[in-house]
Tab-separated table of all heavy atoms in Angstrom:
chain	number	residue	atom	x	y	z
N	202	VAL	N	-5.204	-29.219	14.699
N	202	VAL	CA	-6.251	-28.774	13.770
N	202	VAL	C	-5.844	-27.475	13.089
N	202	VAL	O	-6.077	-27.292	11.884
N	202	VAL	CB	-7.584	-28.607	14.523
N	202	VAL	CG1	-8.639	-27.985	13.620
N	202	VAL	CG2	-8.071	-29.953	15.044
N	203	LEU	N	-5.219	-26.570	13.839
N	203	LEU	CA	-4.759	-25.313	13.246
N	203	LEU	C	-3.726	-25.569	12.154
N	203	LEU	O	-3.791	-24.979	11.065
N	203	LEU	CB	-4.175	-24.412	14.335
N	203	LEU	CG	-3.565	-23.080	13.860
N	203	LEU	CD1	-4.615	-22.224	13.158
N	203	LEU	CD2	-2.950	-22.321	15.027
N	204	LEU	N	-2.779	-26.461	12.426
N	204	LEU	CA	-1.767	-26.790	11.418
N	204	LEU	C	-2.415	-27.423	10.196
N	204	LEU	O	-2.076	-27.083	9.046
N	204	LEU	CB	-0.724	-27.730	12.021
N	204	LEU	CG	0.375	-28.223	11.073
N	204	LEU	CD1	1.194	-27.053	10.540
N	204	LEU	CD2	1.279	-29.235	11.775
N	205	ALA	N	-3.344	-28.360	10.432
N	205	ALA	CA	-4.037	-28.995	9.308
N	205	ALA	C	-4.825	-27.971	8.496
N	205	ALA	O	-4.863	-28.038	7.255
N	205	ALA	CB	-4.957	-30.100	9.823
N	206	THR	N	-5.428	-27.009	9.173
N	206	THR	CA	-6.206	-25.979	8.482
N	206	THR	C	-5.305	-25.116	7.606
N	206	THR	O	-5.637	-24.813	6.453
N	206	THR	CB	-6.949	-25.099	9.495
N	206	THR	OG1	-7.770	-25.921	10.329
N	206	THR	CG2	-7.800	-24.065	8.799
N	207	VAL	N	-4.161	-24.716	8.146
N	207	VAL	CA	-3.245	-23.870	7.390
N	207	VAL	C	-2.713	-24.617	6.162
N	207	VAL	O	-2.688	-24.075	5.041
N	207	VAL	CB	-2.096	-23.399	8.290
N	207	VAL	CG1	-1.011	-22.697	7.471
N	207	VAL	CG2	-2.613	-22.467	9.381
N	208	LEU	N	-2.296	-25.870	6.345
N	208	LEU	CA	-1.756	-26.642	5.224
N	208	LEU	C	-2.826	-26.914	4.179
N	208	LEU	O	-2.574	-26.812	2.970
N	208	LEU	CB	-1.156	-27.954	5.739
N	208	LEU	CG	0.074	-27.827	6.648
N	208	LEU	CD1	0.531	-29.195	7.123
N	208	LEU	CD2	1.204	-27.101	5.933
N	209	PHE	N	-4.015	-27.285	4.644
N	209	PHE	CA	-5.093	-27.569	3.706
N	209	PHE	C	-5.487	-26.311	2.932
N	209	PHE	O	-5.681	-26.356	1.708
N	209	PHE	CB	-6.301	-28.128	4.463
N	209	PHE	CG	-7.506	-28.367	3.603
N	209	PHE	CD1	-7.538	-29.424	2.716
N	209	PHE	CD2	-8.614	-27.529	3.685
N	209	PHE	CE1	-8.652	-29.643	1.916
N	209	PHE	CE2	-9.724	-27.744	2.899
N	209	PHE	CZ	-9.740	-28.804	2.011
N	210	ALA	N	-5.615	-25.177	3.629
N	210	ALA	CA	-5.962	-23.931	2.951
N	210	ALA	C	-4.887	-23.526	1.953
N	210	ALA	O	-5.197	-23.068	0.845
N	210	ALA	CB	-6.186	-22.820	3.980
N	211	ALA	N	-3.610	-23.707	2.319
N	211	ALA	CA	-2.523	-23.362	1.401
N	211	ALA	C	-2.574	-24.228	0.146
N	211	ALA	O	-2.399	-23.727	-0.975
N	211	ALA	CB	-1.181	-23.526	2.108
N	213	CYS	N	-5.212	-25.689	-1.125
N	213	CYS	CA	-6.384	-25.277	-1.903
N	213	CYS	C	-6.111	-23.990	-2.669
N	213	CYS	O	-6.483	-23.855	-3.843
N	213	CYS	CB	-7.585	-25.098	-0.980
N	213	CYS	SG	-8.270	-26.634	-0.330
N	214	VAL	N	-5.460	-23.022	-2.030
N	214	VAL	CA	-5.190	-21.739	-2.672
N	214	VAL	C	-4.246	-21.928	-3.862
N	214	VAL	O	-4.498	-21.419	-4.964
N	214	VAL	CB	-4.608	-20.738	-1.660
N	214	VAL	CG1	-4.091	-19.489	-2.369
N	214	VAL	CG2	-5.649	-20.352	-0.633
N	295	VAL	N	-13.209	-28.367	-3.505
N	295	VAL	CA	-13.012	-26.943	-3.228
N	295	VAL	C	-12.444	-26.240	-4.451
N	295	VAL	O	-12.897	-25.146	-4.821
N	295	VAL	CB	-12.093	-26.760	-1.998
N	295	VAL	CG1	-11.702	-25.299	-1.835
N	295	VAL	CG2	-12.776	-27.252	-0.737
N	350	ILE	N	-5.665	-13.361	-1.927
N	350	ILE	CA	-6.115	-13.088	-0.572
N	350	ILE	C	-7.554	-13.542	-0.365
N	350	ILE	O	-7.893	-14.122	0.687
N	350	ILE	CB	-5.978	-11.589	-0.248
N	350	ILE	CG1	-4.503	-11.165	-0.368
N	350	ILE	CG2	-6.485	-11.289	1.149
N	350	ILE	CD1	-3.565	-11.930	0.541
N	351	GLN	N	-8.407	-13.334	-1.343
N	351	GLN	CA	-9.781	-13.797	-1.206
N	351	GLN	C	-9.846	-15.322	-1.149
N	351	GLN	O	-10.652	-15.886	-0.406
N	351	GLN	CB	-10.632	-13.265	-2.354
N	351	GLN	CG	-10.879	-11.776	-2.261
N	351	GLN	CD	-11.873	-11.282	-3.283
N	351	GLN	OE1	-12.199	-11.975	-4.237
N	351	GLN	NE2	-12.352	-10.064	-3.106
N	352	SER	N	-9.003	-16.001	-1.911
N	352	SER	CA	-8.966	-17.459	-1.851
N	352	SER	C	-8.481	-17.936	-0.489
N	352	SER	O	-8.991	-18.934	0.043
N	352	SER	CB	-8.065	-18.015	-2.959
N	352	SER	OG	-8.566	-17.700	-4.243
N	353	VAL	N	-7.515	-17.241	0.091
N	353	VAL	CA	-7.040	-17.599	1.432
N	353	VAL	C	-8.182	-17.489	2.441
N	353	VAL	O	-8.400	-18.387	3.270
N	353	VAL	CB	-5.866	-16.694	1.844
N	353	VAL	CG1	-5.538	-16.871	3.317
N	353	VAL	CG2	-4.629	-17.013	1.015
N	354	ILE	N	-8.939	-16.396	2.379
N	354	ILE	CA	-10.039	-16.206	3.317
N	354	ILE	C	-11.105	-17.275	3.127
N	354	ILE	O	-11.595	-17.872	4.091
N	354	ILE	CB	-10.630	-14.796	3.151
N	354	ILE	CG1	-9.590	-13.739	3.557
N	354	ILE	CG2	-11.896	-14.633	3.981
N	354	ILE	CD1	-10.022	-12.319	3.296
N	355	TRP	N	-11.468	-17.551	1.890
N	355	TRP	CA	-12.506	-18.549	1.629
N	355	TRP	C	-12.064	-19.943	2.072
N	355	TRP	O	-12.804	-20.656	2.745
N	355	TRP	CB	-12.852	-18.562	0.144
N	355	TRP	CG	-13.578	-17.339	-0.326
N	355	TRP	CD1	-14.228	-16.414	0.459
N	355	TRP	CD2	-13.713	-16.886	-1.667
N	355	TRP	NE1	-14.749	-15.413	-0.325
N	355	TRP	CE2	-14.465	-15.669	-1.626
N	355	TRP	CE3	-13.278	-17.366	-2.895
N	355	TRP	CZ2	-14.789	-14.962	-2.784
N	355	TRP	CZ3	-13.608	-16.669	-4.037
N	355	TRP	CH2	-14.350	-15.476	-3.979
N	356	ASP	N	-10.852	-20.332	1.689
N	356	ASP	CA	-10.405	-21.704	1.967
N	356	ASP	C	-10.072	-21.918	3.436
N	356	ASP	O	-10.152	-23.039	3.933
N	356	ASP	CB	-9.189	-22.046	1.093
N	356	ASP	CG	-9.535	-22.052	-0.387
N	356	ASP	OD1	-10.728	-22.219	-0.704
N	356	ASP	OD2	-8.627	-21.875	-1.219
N	357	PHE	N	-9.706	-20.858	4.126
N	357	PHE	CA	-9.449	-20.988	5.565
N	357	PHE	C	-10.739	-21.223	6.337
N	357	PHE	O	-10.721	-21.795	7.428
N	357	PHE	CB	-8.751	-19.724	6.082
N	357	PHE	CG	-8.141	-19.878	7.444
N	357	PHE	CD1	-6.885	-20.455	7.591
N	357	PHE	CD2	-8.809	-19.450	8.575
N	357	PHE	CE1	-6.313	-20.594	8.838
N	357	PHE	CE2	-8.249	-19.597	9.834
N	357	PHE	CZ	-6.990	-20.180	9.960
N	358	LYS	N	-11.867	-20.789	5.767
N	358	LYS	CA	-13.156	-20.926	6.448
N	358	LYS	C	-13.974	-22.101	5.933
N	358	LYS	O	-15.188	-22.156	6.177
N	358	LYS	CB	-13.972	-19.640	6.286
N	358	LYS	CG	-13.330	-18.408	6.885
N	358	LYS	CD	-14.301	-17.246	6.889
N	358	LYS	CE	-14.781	-16.936	5.497
N	358	LYS	NZ	-15.738	-15.796	5.489
N	359	VAL	N	-13.352	-23.038	5.232
N	359	VAL	CA	-14.106	-24.170	4.675
N	359	VAL	C	-14.813	-24.925	5.795
N	359	VAL	O	-14.210	-25.283	6.811
N	359	VAL	CB	-13.160	-25.113	3.912
N	359	VAL	CG1	-13.825	-26.451	3.644
N	359	VAL	CG2	-12.745	-24.479	2.593
N	360	PHE	N	-16.103	-25.153	5.590
N	360	PHE	CA	-16.895	-25.909	6.562
N	360	PHE	C	-17.740	-26.982	5.884
N	360	PHE	O	-17.659	-28.164	6.223
N	360	PHE	CB	-17.808	-24.975	7.366
N	360	PHE	CG	-18.744	-25.703	8.293
N	360	PHE	CD1	-18.315	-26.102	9.554
N	360	PHE	CD2	-20.047	-26.014	7.918
N	360	PHE	CE1	-19.157	-26.788	10.412
N	360	PHE	CE2	-20.905	-26.694	8.773
N	360	PHE	CZ	-20.452	-27.082	10.022
N	378	VAL	N	-10.952	-29.271	10.510
N	378	VAL	CA	-10.390	-27.937	10.311
N	378	VAL	C	-11.021	-27.032	11.360
N	378	VAL	O	-11.962	-27.418	12.055
N	378	VAL	CB	-10.650	-27.419	8.878
N	378	VAL	CG1	-9.879	-28.223	7.854
N	378	VAL	CG2	-12.140	-27.439	8.560
N	379	LEU	N	-10.520	-25.809	11.480
N	379	LEU	CA	-10.928	-24.959	12.593
N	379	LEU	C	-12.430	-24.686	12.617
N	379	LEU	O	-13.045	-24.673	13.684
N	379	LEU	CB	-10.158	-23.634	12.541
N	379	LEU	CG	-8.743	-23.641	13.112
N	379	LEU	CD1	-8.116	-22.272	12.989
N	379	LEU	CD2	-8.743	-24.100	14.566
N	380	ASN	N	-13.030	-24.479	11.444
N	380	ASN	CA	-14.459	-24.181	11.428
N	380	ASN	C	-15.278	-25.356	11.945
N	380	ASN	O	-16.208	-25.184	12.736
N	380	ASN	CB	-14.897	-23.820	10.006
N	380	ASN	CG	-15.578	-22.470	9.956
N	380	ASN	OD1	-15.868	-21.861	10.976
N	380	ASN	ND2	-15.840	-21.988	8.753
N	381	VAL	N	-14.940	-26.568	11.515
N	381	VAL	CA	-15.655	-27.761	11.970
N	381	VAL	C	-15.333	-28.033	13.435
N	381	VAL	O	-16.211	-28.451	14.208
N	381	VAL	CB	-15.297	-28.973	11.091
N	381	VAL	CG1	-16.037	-30.226	11.552
N	381	VAL	CG2	-15.629	-28.682	9.629
N	399	ILE	N	-12.571	-20.187	19.713
N	399	ILE	CA	-12.013	-20.627	18.433
N	399	ILE	C	-12.434	-19.664	17.327
N	399	ILE	O	-11.636	-19.307	16.444
N	399	ILE	CB	-12.471	-22.062	18.115
N	399	ILE	CG1	-11.979	-23.026	19.183
N	399	ILE	CG2	-11.958	-22.499	16.749
N	399	ILE	CD1	-12.526	-24.434	19.043
N	402	VAL	N	-10.300	-16.570	17.488
N	402	VAL	CA	-8.957	-16.829	16.953
N	402	VAL	C	-8.987	-16.814	15.430
N	402	VAL	O	-8.119	-16.223	14.777
N	402	VAL	CB	-8.424	-18.172	17.481
N	402	VAL	CG1	-7.131	-18.558	16.767
N	402	VAL	CG2	-8.190	-18.098	18.979
N	403	MET	N	-10.002	-17.452	14.848
N	403	MET	CA	-10.134	-17.429	13.393
N	403	MET	C	-10.336	-16.012	12.873
N	403	MET	O	-9.767	-15.620	11.842
N	403	MET	CB	-11.297	-18.314	12.965
N	403	MET	CG	-11.083	-19.798	13.156
N	403	MET	SD	-12.449	-20.767	12.473
N	403	MET	CE	-12.383	-20.288	10.760
N	404	LEU	N	-11.160	-15.244	13.585
N	404	LEU	CA	-11.405	-13.862	13.181
N	404	LEU	C	-10.115	-13.052	13.189
N	404	LEU	O	-9.857	-12.275	12.256
N	404	LEU	CB	-12.438	-13.236	14.117
N	404	LEU	CG	-12.744	-11.750	13.892
N	404	LEU	CD1	-13.381	-11.538	12.537
N	404	LEU	CD2	-13.659	-11.230	14.992
N	405	LEU	N	-9.292	-13.217	14.220
N	405	LEU	CA	-8.031	-12.467	14.291
N	405	LEU	C	-7.071	-12.883	13.190
N	405	LEU	O	-6.375	-12.042	12.598
N	405	LEU	CB	-7.396	-12.681	15.666
N	405	LEU	CG	-8.159	-12.088	16.861
N	405	LEU	CD1	-7.456	-12.430	18.170
N	405	LEU	CD2	-8.330	-10.577	16.706
N	406	ILE	N	-7.029	-14.179	12.897
N	406	ILE	CA	-6.156	-14.646	11.814
N	406	ILE	C	-6.595	-14.059	10.477
N	406	ILE	O	-5.776	-13.539	9.701
N	406	ILE	CB	-6.139	-16.183	11.758
N	406	ILE	CG1	-5.478	-16.754	13.024
N	406	ILE	CG2	-5.408	-16.678	10.517
N	406	ILE	CD1	-5.535	-18.268	13.109
N	407	LEU	N	-7.893	-14.120	10.197
N	407	LEU	CA	-8.400	-13.585	8.932
N	407	LEU	C	-8.290	-12.070	8.882
N	407	LEU	O	-8.081	-11.494	7.808
N	407	LEU	CB	-9.848	-14.025	8.732
N	407	LEU	CG	-10.044	-15.519	8.497
N	407	LEU	CD1	-11.527	-15.852	8.350
N	407	LEU	CD2	-9.291	-15.981	7.259
N	410	VAL	N	-4.832	-11.384	7.812
N	410	VAL	CA	-4.700	-11.615	6.372
N	410	VAL	C	-5.312	-10.454	5.589
N	410	VAL	O	-4.757	-9.990	4.593
N	410	VAL	CB	-5.365	-12.951	5.984
N	410	VAL	CG1	-5.394	-13.119	4.472
N	410	VAL	CG2	-4.637	-14.119	6.627
Side-chain angles (χ1 to χ4, degrees):
V202 173
L203 176 60
L204 177 61
T206 304
V207 171
L208 295 178
F209 176 73
C213 288
V214 170
V295 171
I350 300 301
Q351 289 188 346
S352 297
V353 169
I354 294 174
W355 290 343
D356 296 338
F357 194 83
K358 299 190 302 180
V359 165
F360 175 84
V378 292
L379 279 180
N380 235 352
V381 180
I399 299 173
V402 171
M403 291 186 60
L404 176 64
L405 293 177
I406 294 175
L407 292 178
V410 173

